[in-house]
Amino acid sequence: MKKINSSLFALSTLTLAMQAGAAGFALNESSAAAAGTAYAGRGSNAEDASIMAANPAGIALLEERQVTLGGALVVPKGNFEGTGVDPFSPTGTVSSKNDDFLKTKFIPFGFFSMPVDEQLSFGLGVYAPFGSSSDYGDEWAGKYMADKTEFTVVNIQPTVAYQFSDDLSVGLGVFASHGEGELTREVVLPGPALGSSKMTGDGWAYGWNIGVIWQPVEQTTLGLSYRSKVDHSLEGDAQITVKTFSAQFEEKAKLDITFPEQFELSATHQIDNRWTVMAGAVWTRWSSFDALVIESNQGGNGPISGRDPSDTDVLTYVPEKWEDVWAFSVGASYQYSDDLTLKAGYAFDQSPVPDEYRTARTPDSDRNWLTVGAKYEFGNDWTVDAAYGYMFGSKVNIGEKNYNSDGTPNGGLTLKGEYDNSAHVFSASVTKRF
């Protein structure tokens, strides 16, 4: 059976289209209570059980058993205008404008916490720290770089916390992380012939987070937390369909990818009985994401592998060269009445993607967030939180091409253009205490 050229995959398919949440391919949407203040103070302001995703020590401050269920509806808007090389075009290139490639998605979350005694607390959370949904279709200028991306990571996190004193708590979470995805794009096969590629895969990995909350004075609460890196190995099937004569080739493949470690500092300060201000800073070690590599899971002996002159096991190599970044947020809440609290916030999120390594799967840029929110106490220990956020980034350029695993260009396919992306995010949750 004839082998198919390894440039069929762009590993950037597992990185995320600029959509919402944190920069890179991270998501923030695990708390409607914190969303109203642009996630400022999310690791120090223990409003409900969702705090365990940011700082597991926070559940030690919750005096009652409680369940928080909710989610975020992400409505992104992306605009692309540019030109790509197309060997099947009479002119050799194709130009296009695209404005519907980012897809609306709902991101759910759920948390439970309970005090075991006056000092020890236990919790369980389910949330999505990473994810993306985009679909360019196969009639755009960059169809040989990216088409469809569906990718989700879900964490299941048991948590324990211990309150050593009235002003000091420590917590630990251990999570099982499940990742799965479907990735497609058009390909140029030997001949030349037109084809399409598809990869599906999933896998489990494990990690942990730890945190401390300290109250130096009655009005001020500080939180410091750390989330470990997670080494995922996604295994599945690589499939190539030759459209010219309806042939199909399959090979077992795998992707090893590390989701980065993260430090977060949070602060909450109560000014008076109505006003509270919050701030937060998050550092993410994205420099660990140096390259994305899809490899054969058949020892390089399948019908797709064996074409990369640098390494016959490599199906695709994409240099990423991401950089460590900071995100900063500030927010405030105003207790309008005994039942209603109003919130607002602003956040700035640095992009880890260098300009020269931006891809159609990650047209990322620095992001600005403006948010508003509200919390309403319905009585009988029911609380509803709701928030709205608007994300806007700077316009960015792309100059993408394919590579061999030694960093040399693989073929003449390129994509050049400009992206302008934004998003609306609607978050809501219900908390029941009992």
Side-chain angles (χ1 to χ4, degrees):
M1 182 179 294
K2 187 176 181 179
K3 295 196 174 197
I4 303 298
N5 195 305
S6 67
S7 65
L8 300 176
F9 293 145
L11 240 277
S12 55
T13 51
L14 270 185
T15 61
L16 304 181
M18 180 174 180
Q19 185 164 305
F25 45 83
L27 296 174
N28 274 330
E29 287 75 15
S30 61
S31 172
T37 57
Y39 299 96
R42 67 177 178 179
S44 55
N45 190 22
E47 295 190 78
D48 59 40
S50 66
I51 192 174
M52 73 179 71
N55 189 339
I59 64 171
L61 306 182
L62 303 174
E63 297 178 354
E64 301 172 282
R65 287 186 300 173
Q66 55 190 271
V67 174
T68 298
L69 299 175
L73 182 68
V74 180
V75 186
K77 181 66 174 179
N79 289 283
F80 168 83
E81 183 174 356
T83 302
V85 172
D86 187 345
F88 297 100
S89 168
T91 62
T93 62
V94 172
S95 297
S96 68
K97 296 181 179 180
N98 303 78
D99 62 5
D100 62 351
F101 54 91
L102 298 179
K103 301 305 177 182
T104 298
K105 283 295 180 179
F106 180 71
I107 306 170
F109 54 79
F111 299 91
F112 165 78
S113 72
M114 60 174 289
V116 177
D117 55 34
E118 292 184 355
Q119 293 177 295
L120 181 66
S121 295
F122 169 79
L124 179 67
V126 181
Y127 58 96
F130 304 97
S132 177
S133 179
S134 64
D135 192 348
Y136 288 93
D138 56 8
E139 298 299 329
W140 80 292
K143 64 182 180 181
Y144 300 113
M145 304 297 175
D147 183 354
K148 181 181 180 181
T149 300
E150 290 285 345
F151 182 64
T152 303
V153 173
V154 176
N155 284 358
I156 303 172
Q157 178 182 314
T159 302
V160 294
Y162 192 83
Q163 189 171 23
F164 285 93
S165 64
D166 291 340
D167 54 18
L168 181 64
S169 300
V170 176
L172 173 68
V174 178
F175 52 83
S177 181
H178 181 258
E180 63 179 352
E182 177 183 343
L183 321 164
T184 69
R185 73 181 181 104
E186 298 295 286
V187 294
V188 178
L189 305 174
L194 180 62
S196 62
S197 70
K198 177 180 179 181
M199 178 178 177
T200 56
D202 64 353
W204 286 92
Y206 304 91
W208 53 277
N209 66 347
I210 190 170
V212 59
I213 291 180
W214 177 48
Q215 193 172 13
V217 296
E218 184 178 355
Q219 297 85 2
T220 302
T221 305
L222 304 177
L224 177 64
S225 59
Y226 169 82
R227 185 177 67 193
S228 73
K229 69 175 184 177
V230 179
D231 296 320
H232 261 283
S233 183
L234 305 181
E235 298 185 355
D237 297 311
Q239 183 183 94
I240 302 300
T241 299
V242 185
K243 294 184 176 181
T244 307
F245 47 89
S246 300
Q248 193 171 88
F249 303 86
E250 291 188 6
E251 182 169 346
K252 297 296 182 183
K254 66 177 180 178
L255 164 66
D256 293 331
I257 182 171
T258 298
F259 296 105
E261 63 183 319
Q262 187 177 85
F263 288 93
E264 181 167 356
L265 177 64
S266 296
T268 302
H269 178 72
Q270 186 175 357
I271 297 175
D272 54 33
N273 60 355
R274 289 189 180 273
W275 284 99
T276 301
V277 293
M278 305 89 167
V282 180
W283 179 83
T284 305
R285 194 192 294 273
W286 276 119
S287 60
S288 61
F289 189 40
D290 185 65
L292 271 170
V293 183
I294 289 180
E295 296 181 297
S296 168
N297 221 9
Q298 296 181 199
N301 295 316
I304 300 174
S305 60
R307 289 286 181 170
D308 189 323
S310 304
D311 190 335
T312 57
D313 285 342
V314 174
L315 301 180
T316 297
Y317 171 87
V318 176
E320 299 291 349
K321 309 296 182 182
W322 283 21
E323 300 168 347
D324 300 337
V325 293
W326 284 92
F328 303 97
S329 57
V330 292
S333 67
Y334 176 74
Q335 189 166 349
Y336 181 81
S337 66
D338 290 342
D339 299 324
L340 178 62
T341 301
L342 304 177
K343 304 176 181 182
Y346 167 78
F348 174 74
D349 208 350
Q350 291 180 322
S351 171
V353 181
D355 290 342
E356 60 269 32
Y357 292 105
R358 187 172 292 111
T359 70
R361 305 286 184 174
T362 53
D364 201 19
S365 69
D366 293 343
R367 308 179 189 195
N368 296 274
W369 278 96
L370 297 173
T371 68
V372 293
K375 177 172 68 174
Y376 193 82
E377 304 284 354
F378 278 94
N380 296 320
D381 293 317
W382 287 94
T383 301
V384 173
D385 284 277
Y388 164 75
Y390 175 64
M391 183 279 293
F392 56 98
S394 56
K395 292 183 179 180
V396 292
N397 294 318
I398 183 174
E400 185 178 1
K401 54 188 175 182
N402 290 333
Y403 292 89
N404 294 313
S405 59
D406 63 357
T408 59
N410 183 348
L413 297 176
T414 61
L415 174 66
K416 295 182 179 181
E418 182 182 75
Y419 281 92
D420 185 10
N421 301 317
S422 61
H424 303 272
V425 180
F426 305 87
S427 303
S429 67
V430 176
T431 299
K432 171 62 177 176
R433 297 170 179 83
F434 50 94

